[in-house]
Amino acid sequence: EVLEEIAPDRVEESLAAWLDYHEELVDQARLFPGILDVLHALSQANLALGVVTGQNRRELDATRRHLTIDELIEVWVSVDDAPFSKPHPAPVHVALDALGCPPGQAVFIGDSQVDMESGRRAGTRLGAALWGLKDPAPLLACQPDYAFGHPEQMESLLSSRQKKGDAP
């Protein structure tokens, strides 16, 4: 959408160049310290885990190959997998449907105001991922149900969880 606004006659060429650049740089991406342990703990607790990203399918596929956490994540939703992108609730609903999880039983955790709006509009509880942010105030202004200063704090969700497959 951005490319259509700034370079409408060069969208395909610009997107191809960006995707090539992304694939070169993805090797520099790292999981934030503590994330892998938390994902293991949540998965071992039988929680259904999904990722909803603003990346397109090609970007997401490259990211997935690099991060190698597929055994922990049940559902991956790219911007190409829903009719609208965040902040619309559609991508969150695509993930929830694939997980078989009603919105009221889900916690959507994000690090942007767009994430908070998407999750709220989808009817989920909200978790603000505050680690790594220079200024958490804008995210906290979204009034999330949970605010996580460090990834390990997400394990607090285990005390009030509902296992996948449980009746609502």
Side-chain angles (χ1 to χ4, degrees):
E1 293 171 358
V2 171
L3 290 175
E4 288 174 359
E5 288 182 29
I6 62 173
D9 56 332
R10 297 177 42 207
V11 171
E12 288 184 34
E13 172 190 346
S14 300
L15 182 58
W18 163 252
L19 293 173
D20 289 342
Y21 185 64
H22 176 270
E23 288 183 14
E24 287 178 30
L25 292 180
V26 75
D27 290 341
Q28 296 177 29
R30 302 286 178 265
L31 291 173
F32 198 87
I35 287 289
L36 191 56
D37 291 336
V38 170
L39 291 176
H40 277 290
L42 297 175
S43 180
Q44 288 173 354
N46 207 28
L47 289 179
L49 302 176
V51 171
V52 177
T53 180
Q55 291 184 335
N56 66 35
R57 177 54 55 191
R58 183 172 160 192
E59 291 170 302
L60 179 56
D61 288 345
T63 300
R64 287 174 66 179
R65 281 190 305 273
H66 172 68
L67 295 179
T68 64
I69 57 173
D70 277 354
E71 74 279 1
L72 301 170
I73 306 298
E74 294 180 47
V75 172
W76 297 84
V77 177
S78 76
V79 71
D80 297 327
D81 298 320
F84 302 99
S85 59
K86 296 183 288 183
H88 195 279
V92 178
H93 284 297
V94 168
L96 293 172
D97 289 347
L99 292 169
C101 181
Q105 291 182 5
V107 178
F108 188 75
I109 300 171
D111 63 358
S112 72
Q113 293 165 289
V114 169
D115 289 335
M116 297 296 104
E117 184 177 346
S118 187
R120 178 167 281 120
R121 291 173 68 193
T124 69
R125 288 173 285 158
L126 302 176
L130 303 176
W131 59 85
L133 297 180
K134 288 182 184 178
D135 180 12
L139 207 53
L140 292 172
C142 295
Q143 300 180 326
D145 299 288
Y146 307 93
F148 306 114
H150 300 282
E152 299 83 16
Q153 293 174 334
M154 291 190 297
E155 289 186 44
S156 66
L157 297 173
L158 296 176
S159 62
S160 62
R161 77 184 197 285
Q162 186 152 26
K163 293 182 180 179
K164 54 186 167 182
D166 286 354

